[in-house]
Amino acid sequence: MVGKANADDSAKESVKESVKAGRAPSMPMARDPSVAVAEEYEAARRKGTREAFELFIARHGDDPLAEQARAELKRLSR
């Protein structure tokens, strides 16, 4: 939590400095959603529980990685 607070503070300072310098504040690049989904899948795979895979499927049922999660669920059922 402290790390996030520090990151928020430094981001605010950066914006203030940009405004003082006469520049418009810039937004960070948006994160690639497919990377975020892949990270969630890897987290579910590391956990290796039915609950983790079911949660991933509930959140990302249309993603191609959901098929892999379903296969993992079948494997766990055996």
Side-chain angles (χ1 to χ4, degrees):
M1 213 47 152
V2 172
K4 181 173 179 354
N6 290 340
D8 289 346
D9 290 343
S10 63
K12 288 176 187 174
E13 286 302 314
S14 178
V15 169
K16 287 179 186 177
E17 290 172 15
S18 294
V19 171
K20 285 181 188 175
R23 298 186 307 254
S26 62
M27 294 295 294
M29 294 276 301
R31 188 163 181 224
D32 182 351
S34 63
V35 172
V37 171
E39 288 174 357
E40 281 189 52
Y41 174 77
E42 285 303 313
R45 194 184 59 73
R46 280 192 306 273
K47 254 189 169 176
T49 64
R50 291 190 62 78
E51 293 80 14
F53 289 117
E54 288 170 348
L55 180 59
F56 178 83
I57 293 166
R59 289 182 177 170
H60 308 289
D62 294 337
D63 192 87
L65 287 173
E67 286 305 313
Q68 291 181 14
R70 288 182 185 97
E72 290 292 333
L73 277 176
K74 285 182 184 177
R75 187 184 59 78
L76 287 173
S77 297
R78 294 181 195 168

